[in-house]
Amino acid sequence: MAGLQSITWKRVGLGTLTLASVALLMACGNKTTSTKDNKSEISWYTPTEIITLDISKSTDTYSGLAIGNSGSNLLRVDAKGKLQPDLAKKVDVSEDGLTYTATLRDGLKWSDGSALTAEDFVYTWKRMVDPTTASEYAYLATESHLKNAEEINSGKNPDLNSLGVKAEGNKVIFTLTEPAPQFKSLLSFSSFMPQKESFVKEVGKDYGTSSEKQVYSGPYTVKDWNGTSGTFKLVKNKNYWDAKNVKTQTIKVQTVKKPDTAVQMYKQGKLDFANISGTSAIYNANKKNKDVVPVLEATTAYMVYNQTGSVEALSNLKIRQALNLATDRKGIVSAAVDTGSKPATALAPEGLAKLTDGKDLTKYVAPGYKYDEKEAAKLFKEGLAELGKESLKLTITADADAPAAKAAVDYIKETWEKALPGLTVEEKFVPFKQRLEDTKNQNFEVAVTLWGGDYPEGSTFYGLFKSGSAYNYGKFTNAAYDAAYEKALTTDALDTDKAANDYKAAEKALYDNALYNPLYFRSGKGLQNPNIKGLVRSSTGLNVDFTYAYKK
């Protein structure tokens, strides 16, 4: 999610691998031991701890794993990437695309046995746009053109009841002011899952801070998470509407921070899955294993520049352009993520969306990023002169939780310092959770971050950098970018090709002004217990859905 991974979908962690662990991995070879766990259990892991169970506050991939499997929305994404009815038995859309009417299934219940109603969906949308909630994902509601969402979230309209969502019996009715191609996807997204207002108010500030401080609408409930623990369980929710088809009783999830450790645990039968794309060494040692499966994701790694004015040099266009031109993206992939990932050519990654002629969006919008040491050095020298400086020191902040960061940042430091005489790069590695806070609060100079798409449409990426966005970590403002993005969401919202042209204009504005620096499109593989069936993986939104997963 978003995310942040991480994630976020959202943002996803980066880190380092020791020589000793590489040697140990090589010794493991390809011998695979099937898990001997009870068939009613699946053993999983995350590379860092989850952060929250607050549906309105979550933005990272790992919290999203817990929330997305313990909650349900009106719709759910199936194994083919199609939206299917979940808590709703149907969703009707008016011909003009402005009214969505979801009809709920009969007899829906929360995990505590109380009735789950249309009002619970109304409440979650109100809570999302309420400025006092301070949700980083509120923009998804405002940009969906939900009536009065923007006015309420910006504080111009204090009347939450004027929001374009209402309950009528067993129906949830949404009113948009303009069509939004992404809106139906939001009806499956975890941030808009129902929330029980009385429970939220009862637990107050503790809501979502532990597994006991949440009530669940989905196939599982979360157990044994105290807010900081590195382990939790997903336990079958007997009150889920389709509980009879949920075959697995318990999903055990633990934090395993070192990718090589996860692979070892998989081979020892302690995990049912282990990602092998943490480093090239792990990938090459395991890529021919018969248990290898693709790990679907639409994720871009990129660098952000602090342009608030607190880092004088990064407010200089020529300095930023020089840094972008001195970035050897192919080299970064080879040095850090030679595991199926590809050099980034734009913000939107491959496999996200296509034009009507079948062309991938990322190929259409690509503005021409390249590695050019000579031009980089020339612009850097000119930029220093404009600043009245002869040298420059910059600190790159990155995640300390997973292995690609050290290799990536080491490579960037080496190539930047070589191409740009007078530049000194310092490295700063902090835990994933801390990096999220640092970038959110502009406590950085240059930062490496990742974003995973929340839904398969370009706005899930291009919404990041609009003026005022919580994820515009560099805090730049660009009128051309804002105008192009707004056009994609309004005038051209229902025309895929015209919207793609708008995103191309937005991408050009980012490129011309060196407002960010794309690094690579992440893609990976993992080892998975071949006895697991029914597991749904998605490249956007909830990456791993255990609803109908089971061991054969």
Side-chain angles (χ1 to χ4, degrees):
M1 343 182 55
L4 248 153
Q5 190 196 279
S6 115
I7 42 297
T8 230
W9 315 149
K10 308 305 138 295
R11 304 121 201 91
V12 190
L14 300 166
T16 145
L17 177 74
T18 65
L19 289 174
S21 60
V22 172
L24 187 57
L25 260 177
M26 296 299 185
C28 287
N30 282 335
K31 184 179 178 182
T32 301
T33 305
S34 296
T35 55
K36 296 181 176 65
D37 291 344
N38 187 313
K39 282 196 172 112
S40 65
E41 290 183 354
I42 292 175
S43 295
W44 216 256
Y45 79 105
T46 58
T48 188
E49 296 85 357
I50 68 173
I51 297 172
T52 184
L53 291 176
D54 185 333
I55 288 170
S56 303
K57 298 288 186 69
S58 171
T59 61
D60 70 286
T61 301
Y62 312 120
S63 299
L65 178 76
I67 292 172
N69 282 286
S70 61
S72 278
N73 208 327
L74 297 164
L75 304 172
R76 203 168 195 96
V77 178
D78 68 12
K80 295 181 179 180
K82 304 296 184 183
L83 293 170
Q84 300 294 347
D86 193 356
L87 297 182
K89 57 186 177 183
K90 64 174 182 174
V91 175
D92 297 311
V93 185
S94 62
E95 283 190 23
D96 61 7
L98 299 181
T99 305
Y100 288 69
T101 303
T103 304
L104 299 185
R105 297 181 186 277
D106 297 332
L108 294 176
K109 292 182 179 180
W110 288 101
S111 57
D112 63 3
S114 60
L116 194 162
T117 71
E119 291 289 355
D120 297 321
F121 289 91
V122 174
Y123 173 67
T124 206
W125 282 82
K126 286 182 177 179
R127 186 169 186 260
M128 178 64 81
V129 301
D130 187 342
T132 63
T133 304
S135 171
E136 292 180 46
Y137 263 159
Y139 79 93
L140 291 180
T142 63
E143 292 184 355
S144 72
H145 308 307
L146 187 65
K147 184 179 178 182
N148 289 325
E150 175 68 41
E151 291 78 7
I152 292 170
N153 187 244
S154 64
K156 296 176 183 177
N157 180 352
D159 183 13
L160 280 172
N161 291 323
S162 68
L163 186 66
V165 56
K166 63 180 179 179
E168 288 187 0
N170 70 335
K171 290 181 170 58
V172 187
I173 302 171
F174 301 90
T175 302
L176 280 55
T177 55
E178 295 183 62
Q182 76 276 25
F183 192 77
K184 205 165 188 178
S185 290
L186 298 185
L187 302 185
S188 71
F189 192 49
S190 62
S191 294
F192 300 102
M193 288 173 171
Q195 296 178 79
K196 186 177 178 181
E197 183 174 7
S198 60
F199 184 87
V200 176
K201 292 184 175 177
E202 177 187 339
V203 298
K205 62 181 177 56
D206 292 329
Y207 175 64
T209 59
S210 71
S211 55
E212 300 301 313
K213 301 298 182 182
Q214 183 57 283
V215 63
Y216 306 97
S217 61
Y220 298 94
T221 63
V222 180
K223 299 288 187 184
D224 303 332
W225 183 64
N226 66 11
T228 58
S229 54
T231 61
F232 65 91
K233 294 177 183 176
L234 292 168
V235 179
K236 181 177 175 177
N237 177 11
K238 64 181 181 180
N239 287 317
Y240 179 54
W241 73 270
D242 200 25
K244 68 180 183 296
N245 289 314
V246 178
K247 298 178 182 179
T248 301
Q249 294 296 320
T250 306
I251 315 289
K252 289 183 175 180
V253 185
Q254 59 185 296
T255 302
V256 182
K257 294 190 175 182
K258 293 184 177 181
D260 56 312
T261 301
V263 172
Q264 293 169 45
M265 291 176 68
Y266 176 83
K267 293 180 178 181
Q268 293 163 2
K270 297 177 181 178
L271 287 174
D272 285 305
F273 170 77
N275 195 306
I276 63 170
S277 296
T279 69
S280 298
I282 296 174
Y283 182 78
N284 290 327
N286 294 279
K287 64 184 179 182
K288 294 182 180 179
N289 191 304
K290 63 182 177 60
D291 294 350
V292 166
V293 297
V295 178
L296 302 176
E297 57 179 329
T299 298
T300 302
Y302 56 94
M303 301 179 92
V304 286
Y305 302 130
N306 187 330
Q307 296 173 61
T308 61
S310 64
V311 187
E312 182 187 11
L314 294 177
S315 294
N316 183 281
L317 173 60
K318 289 181 178 177
I319 295 292
R320 296 196 308 272
Q321 288 176 325
L323 296 175
N324 280 12
L325 285 166
T327 302
D328 180 1
R329 296 170 186 83
K330 288 183 180 178
I332 292 170
V333 169
S334 296
V337 284
D338 190 14
T339 55
S341 296
K342 297 179 180 179
T345 56
L347 180 59
E350 293 180 335
L352 185 71
K354 295 184 184 300
L355 279 69
T356 55
D357 64 2
K359 189 170 187 177
D360 200 285
L361 177 66
T362 191
K363 292 181 179 178
Y364 183 73
V365 302
Y369 284 97
K370 61 182 178 180
Y371 176 49
D372 187 335
E373 289 179 279
K374 185 176 180 180
E375 181 65 15
K378 174 178 174 291
L379 287 169
F380 190 71
K381 185 176 181 180
E382 292 173 1
L384 287 179
E386 290 177 2
L387 293 168
K389 296 177 180 292
E390 293 184 355
S391 63
L392 176 62
K393 182 186 292 185
L394 289 173
T395 299
I396 300 176
T397 299
D399 297 347
D401 304 283
K406 179 64 176 172
V409 175
D410 280 352
Y411 186 85
I412 292 168
K413 170 182 168 66
E414 179 183 349
T415 50
W416 276 10
E417 289 181 345
K418 179 184 175 184
L420 307 173
L423 176 65
T424 301
V425 174
E426 295 191 345
E427 302 177 353
K428 180 181 179 183
F429 297 100
V430 297
F432 172 69
K433 185 175 181 180
Q434 182 61 47
R435 200 268 300 151
L436 287 182
E437 286 300 307
D438 286 348
T439 47
K440 177 181 174 182
N441 297 309
Q442 289 69 57
N443 182 29
F444 71 95
E445 294 183 351
V446 180
V448 177
T449 188
L450 293 95
W451 183 262
D454 295 317
Y455 48 85
E457 198 273 330
S459 61
T460 190
F461 278 87
Y462 291 103
L464 297 176
F465 292 148
K466 72 166 190 172
S467 298
S469 167
Y471 301 113
N472 182 352
Y473 297 136
K475 293 303 173 191
F476 63 79
T477 297
N478 183 273
Y481 182 89
D482 288 346
Y485 180 64
E486 184 65 22
K487 191 164 182 274
L489 291 189
T490 53
T491 308
D492 299 334
L494 296 184
D495 189 318
T496 301
D497 292 348
K498 286 184 178 179
N501 208 44
D502 298 329
Y503 293 139
K504 185 172 186 174
E507 189 77 56
K508 185 176 186 300
L510 294 175
Y511 173 80
D512 289 345
N513 296 282
L515 296 173
Y516 86 118
N517 186 350
L519 299 178
Y520 57 88
F521 298 143
R522 197 174 69 173
S523 181
K525 293 182 178 179
L527 301 174
Q528 184 173 301
N529 185 339
N531 293 326
I532 291 181
K533 309 297 179 184
L535 186 73
V536 174
R537 290 184 180 274
S538 299
S539 61
T540 58
L542 177 61
N543 295 107
V544 180
D545 189 344
F546 294 109
T547 302
Y548 301 115
Y550 65 97
K551 280 185 182 172
K552 188 175 178 181

